[in-house]
Amino acid sequence: MNVQSTLPLRGRPVVALCGGVGGAKLALGLERLIGADLTVIVNTGDDFEHLGLHVSPDIDTVLYTLGGLSDVERGWGRADETWNFMESLGGLGGETWFRLGDRDLAMHVERTRALRAGVSLTDFTTAVARQLGIAASILPMSDDRVETMVITADGPLPFQRYFVGLQCAPVVKRLEFRNAERAAASSQVLAALGNPNLAAVIICPSNPYLSVDPILAVSGIRKALDHVTAPIVAISPLIGGQAVKGPTAKIMAELGVPADSVAIARHYRFIDGLIIDETDRGDAGKIDMPVYVKSTWMRSLEDRDRLAADCLDFAVRLADAERRKVT
């Protein structure tokens, strides 16, 4: 871990934008490195109401990962989960296509109760994060509802029907983030991005189309990023043209975009630098922005720490290069 080179960032805030599993892994590494100086802005386009409950899959993945509760083997949900509720529900002929474990169910019940009592999603998420002992600030991208819709060759599908119910099988024609233009970024999100002492913005290796684009579509967030003077660094979610997890490469192919690091850089035109995997080193010379070639596969806790340190190291290098250019 190149801790020495990240020392200039100590005590300065860092903002990460992320979706579910892949983003949460890097968020954990960042939190282990800088603790309370980290703010994680999380996609809520995946949120939906199921069985009368408000479910926030990406927020819960981040909370469980940073709170030490996640099921590392399965890749989603809580560890040591039991399924009595789902088995009983199935026995009654209820919907079982979206699985809610007994421990996970407690989160959805309590969140739904709080929201109906007038608590904002931001305040509920903050309270749970503190209850779980998480040092970083975990923020939904908005307290307003944004709905990711997958427009397929067979018609429009709510995200979870596409992702979980149909296992990403339908061909994607385009994506819509309904209500994003009317949804407002929370004051906490805008304050984090507008902090004049901000050291870096990290776009985690989440799906650019399904996880990061909904965040960027929320009114105010993209504009706030345009005014950020700190380096904005993204990590490509692709390794050798494939995503470690999820349908990123499949969606890119169906949208007519090459599944490579060059296309990721073009997608994130507003960033200052891109981190790509060593497997894709050959793409570095084709990308019209600073590129940092590192191992981006996070199979262990040490991998998450190392990639987090690499992100901050790259941000320091970009800031130093900008200072030299100005002076």
Side-chain angles (χ1 to χ4, degrees):
M1 181 185 302
N2 192 359
V3 174
Q4 189 66 31
S5 63
T6 62
L7 285 177
L9 298 182
R10 290 288 172 84
R12 295 182 60 194
V14 171
V15 171
L17 275 55
C18 88
V21 177
K25 288 181 179 179
L26 180 58
L28 176 59
L30 289 167
E31 197 216 25
R32 283 165 53 85
L33 200 59
I34 61 175
D37 290 327
L38 175 67
T39 295
V40 187
I41 298 173
V42 186
N43 168 44
T44 59
D46 299 5
D47 287 21
F48 76 128
E49 184 171 313
H50 185 58
L51 304 175
L53 301 173
H54 184 106
V55 182
S56 297
D58 284 358
I59 287 179
D60 291 346
T61 296
V62 174
L63 288 171
Y64 293 158
T65 301
L66 271 62
L69 300 175
S70 61
D71 187 314
V72 178
E73 295 293 324
R74 194 171 57 237
W76 56 273
R78 290 188 57 160
D80 302 320
E81 189 59 278
T82 55
W83 304 95
N84 298 303
F85 168 73
M86 292 306 300
E87 291 173 6
S88 298
L89 184 64
L92 296 172
E95 288 189 67
T96 57
W97 64 273
F98 191 90
R99 294 179 63 74
L100 300 174
D102 299 331
R103 297 176 189 275
D104 189 35
L105 187 61
M107 177 73 85
H108 309 312
V109 169
E110 182 61 8
R111 177 190 293 115
T112 303
R113 183 203 62 76
L115 294 180
R116 288 177 181 168
V119 177
S120 71
L121 185 60
T122 296
D123 287 347
F124 174 79
T125 305
T126 299
V128 171
R130 295 295 172 264
Q131 186 71 23
L132 297 180
I134 298 172
S137 297
I138 312 298
L139 299 176
M141 65 187 195
S142 175
D143 287 322
D144 298 322
R145 185 77 182 93
V146 175
E147 186 177 10
T148 297
M149 293 292 294
V150 183
I151 311 303
T152 74
D154 301 324
L157 291 169
F159 176 79
Q160 296 299 345
R161 277 290 178 187
Y162 164 79
F163 190 71
V164 178
L166 299 173
Q167 298 290 298
C168 308
V171 175
V172 177
K173 297 174 71 71
R174 69 178 190 279
L175 297 161
E176 295 179 358
F177 310 116
R178 295 183 177 175
N179 200 48
E181 291 184 357
R182 289 186 291 275
S186 68
S187 59
Q188 293 89 335
V189 165
L190 294 179
L193 291 173
N195 190 322
N197 199 35
L198 188 63
V201 175
I202 309 295
I203 299 178
C204 293
S206 301
N207 188 311
Y209 302 89
L210 294 175
S211 298
V212 179
D213 280 0
I215 301 175
L216 301 177
V218 172
S219 177
I221 291 184
R222 186 66 179 78
K223 185 176 180 181
L225 286 169
D226 285 341
H227 288 85
V228 166
T229 56
I232 302 176
V233 171
I235 301 89
S236 172
L238 299 176
I239 297 177
Q242 295 295 322
V244 174
K245 183 178 175 61
T248 303
K250 173 181 179 291
I251 288 176
M252 293 177 79
E254 291 169 357
L255 294 178
V257 179
D260 58 29
S261 303
V262 180
I264 297 295
R266 288 174 179 161
H267 189 76
Y268 291 138
R269 290 183 182 278
F270 62 95
I271 65 175
D272 298 296
L274 181 69
I275 297 178
I276 65 174
D277 189 75
E278 292 167 341
T279 307
D280 300 311
R281 182 180 294 275
D283 288 344
K286 308 172 189 172
I287 298 173
D288 188 23
M289 66 173 63
V291 175
Y292 209 28
V293 181
K294 292 289 178 179
S295 173
T296 62
W297 201 341
M298 295 178 283
R299 285 169 284 199
S300 67
L301 188 58
E302 290 72 24
D303 290 339
R304 302 172 196 197
D305 294 346
R306 174 190 40 73
L307 183 57
D310 287 340
C311 291
L312 300 184
D313 178 45
F314 191 31
V316 169
R317 291 167 183 252
L318 291 170
D320 287 346
E322 184 62 24
R323 274 192 292 272
R324 285 196 297 273
K325 187 169 66 176
V326 170
T327 57

